């Protein structure tokens, strides 16, 4: 298909492109009303609002082991999209999409804390990636159904203070697996050609931070908030630190000692240390003294590391 002339024309007049996008939007709207899609999308609204998956019949049926409903659901979208593209070759379905680690994702529905998406893995791209050195644990529960293709994945289980346990899992058509992402990570490492997966995810209500762990020894390398509001607040806290706002130290200390998300508390604590190390080591002492505080061990280790690198801080703290 020769598209250069059409693309050049769009630089002068995008009317046809806008008409095409309208046609794509109509095609997507029509698909959402089809018998193969409408019950599933209605069930997604209940699931996104917190309903148990088993009570969301049409959605739950997509993730029954060996069931045929998932391919039928995905195929109905492919048929509708190809029919729309046939008359609008430059069009795009108005659905959120993106690529992470060279893995394209198409979000079919997003309701509340839940998303339903199609994920594709390119075997040639996966083969060129370096061996993984870390694993990320996200506070979500997810159901994955292999629609097409085969491959293999690493299943990594981890808890604070433990070495990661790694198992290998073969993947094949019709296979469904469930995981809680706060303690288990499933990473596809090989695809025989192409591997296409239908994925349902929902954030866990008691959302822990996203954690990145080194596979070699289980060391925690990075943590980030799983809540959008916390991510926004972390940016604000970091900005206060970069602006050297000494007047913000009391508020930052209160955040560090509060009961908010671990990632936000730790970010606030680091900024206090950067602004005033003496105040920072005192906050570290108070956090480390909290027997039930999830940051206690990490705060104690950082305090001792600071004392070792800056002996004057130990005297000041005393």
């Amino acid at each position: 298909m020769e598209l250069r002339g059409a693309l050049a024309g769009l630089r002068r007049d995008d009317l046809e492109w806008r008409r095409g996008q309208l046609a794509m939007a109509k095609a997507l709207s029509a698909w959402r009303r089809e018998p193969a899609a409408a019950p599933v999308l209605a069930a997604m609204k209940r699931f996104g609002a917190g309903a148990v998956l088993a009570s969301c019949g049409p959605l739950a049926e997509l993730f029954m082991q060996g069931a045929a409903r998932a391919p039928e659901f995905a195929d109905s979208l492919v048929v509708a999209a190809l029919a729309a593209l046939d008359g609008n070759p430059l069009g795009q379905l108005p659905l959120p999409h993106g690529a992470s680690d060279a893995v394209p994702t198409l979000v079919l529905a997003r309701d509340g804390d839940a998303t339903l998406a199609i994920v594709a893995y390119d075997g040639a791209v996966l083969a060129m990636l370096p061996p993984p050195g870390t694993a990320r644990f996200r506070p979500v529960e997810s159901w994955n159904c292999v629609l097409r293709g085969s491959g293999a994945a690493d299943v990594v289980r981890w808890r604070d203070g433990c070495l990661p346990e790694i198992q290998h899992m073969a993947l094949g058509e019709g296979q469904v697996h469930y995981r809680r992402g706060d303690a288990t990570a499933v990473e596809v490492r090989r695809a025989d050609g192409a591997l296409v997966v239908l994925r349902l995810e929902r954030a866990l209500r008691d959302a822990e931070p996203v954690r990145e762990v080194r596979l070699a020894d289980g060391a925690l390398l990075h943590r980030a908030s799983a809540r959008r509001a916390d991510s926004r607040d972390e940016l604000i806290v970091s900005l206060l630190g970069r602006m050297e706002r000494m007047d913000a130290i009391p508020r930052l200390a209160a955040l560090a000692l509060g009961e908010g998300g671990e990632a936000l508390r730790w970010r606030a604590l680091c900024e206090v240390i950067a602004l005033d190390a003496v105040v920072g080591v005192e906050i570290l002492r108070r956090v480390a003294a909290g027997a039930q505080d999830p940051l206690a061990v990490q705060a104690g280790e950082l305090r001792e590391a600071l004392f070792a690198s800056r002996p004057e801080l130990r005297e000041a703290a005393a």
Side-chain angles (χ1 to χ4, degrees):
M1 181 184 297
E2 178 61 52
L3 295 179
R4 292 182 183 177
L7 289 173
L10 285 176
R11 289 199 297 266
R12 296 187 297 270
D13 183 2
D14 67 351
L15 177 60
E16 288 302 317
W17 179 83
R18 287 187 281 115
R19 285 175 177 169
Q21 286 305 105
L22 179 60
M24 298 296 289
K26 289 181 177 178
L28 180 62
S29 179
W31 170 74
R32 287 170 171 159
R33 296 192 298 270
E34 289 183 6
V40 172
L41 299 179
M44 264 295 291
K45 294 185 181 299
R46 300 194 299 274
F47 182 72
V52 177
L53 180 59
S55 69
C56 305
L59 182 62
E61 289 175 7
L62 301 183
F63 298 94
M64 295 174 61
Q65 196 74 34
R69 287 284 295 118
E72 291 175 2
F73 171 74
D75 287 348
S76 70
L77 174 62
V78 172
V79 170
L82 289 178
L85 284 169
D86 187 48
N88 305 281
L90 299 180
Q92 276 190 324
L93 281 176
L95 289 171
H97 58 276
S100 175
D101 296 330
V103 180
T105 301
L106 184 66
V107 179
L108 308 183
R110 177 179 286 126
D111 287 283
D113 294 330
T115 58
L116 180 65
I118 292 178
V119 183
Y121 298 88
D122 187 324
V125 175
L126 289 177
M128 292 188 295
L129 295 178
T134 64
R136 294 177 73 245
F137 297 88
R138 300 167 50 234
V140 299
E141 54 181 345
S142 69
W143 295 257
N144 295 266
C145 176
V146 179
L147 298 173
R148 295 287 186 270
S150 60
D154 286 346
V155 181
V156 185
R157 295 182 173 87
W158 174 82
R159 276 298 181 191
D160 287 325
C162 300
L163 280 174
E165 173 191 343
I166 303 176
Q167 297 176 331
H168 302 290
M169 176 173 64
L171 301 172
E173 291 185 9
Q175 181 181 353
V176 176
H177 63 267
Y178 167 82
R179 70 178 175 92
R180 276 185 60 107
D182 53 349
T184 305
V186 177
E187 298 291 342
V188 175
R189 301 301 182 199
R190 192 194 82 242
D192 301 320
L195 179 70
V196 184
V197 175
L198 183 65
R199 175 173 298 161
L200 176 66
E201 282 191 347
R202 183 168 64 181
L204 295 169
R205 296 292 173 149
D206 51 343
E208 300 180 16
V210 178
R211 294 180 171 91
E212 185 174 5
V213 174
R214 188 162 54 212
L215 294 176
D217 55 8
L220 179 63
L221 300 180
H222 180 69
R223 70 172 74 213
S225 176
R227 302 180 180 90
R228 291 181 183 177
D230 278 1
S231 296
R232 178 201 61 206
D233 291 344
E234 284 184 53
L235 287 174
I236 295 172
V237 166
S238 297
L239 180 60
L240 290 172
R242 299 295 83 76
M243 294 173 66
E244 299 183 355
R245 288 286 299 272
M246 304 298 291
D247 60 318
I249 289 177
R251 178 57 181 154
L252 295 175
L255 277 175
L257 294 168
E259 298 180 354
E262 293 177 29
L264 176 60
R265 291 180 58 209
W266 190 256
R267 182 72 263 157
L269 181 51
C270 290
E271 296 302 339
V272 171
I273 295 170
L275 291 170
D276 190 323
V278 175
V279 175
V281 295
E282 171 58 19
I283 302 300
L284 283 172
R285 182 194 66 78
R286 294 174 63 180
V287 173
Q292 303 302 318
D293 194 320
L295 297 179
V297 174
Q298 196 172 353
E301 291 174 349
L302 178 56
R303 188 167 182 261
E304 291 305 314
L306 286 172
F307 285 161
S309 62
R310 298 178 58 184
E312 74 277 7
L313 287 178
R314 187 186 296 274
E315 298 177 6

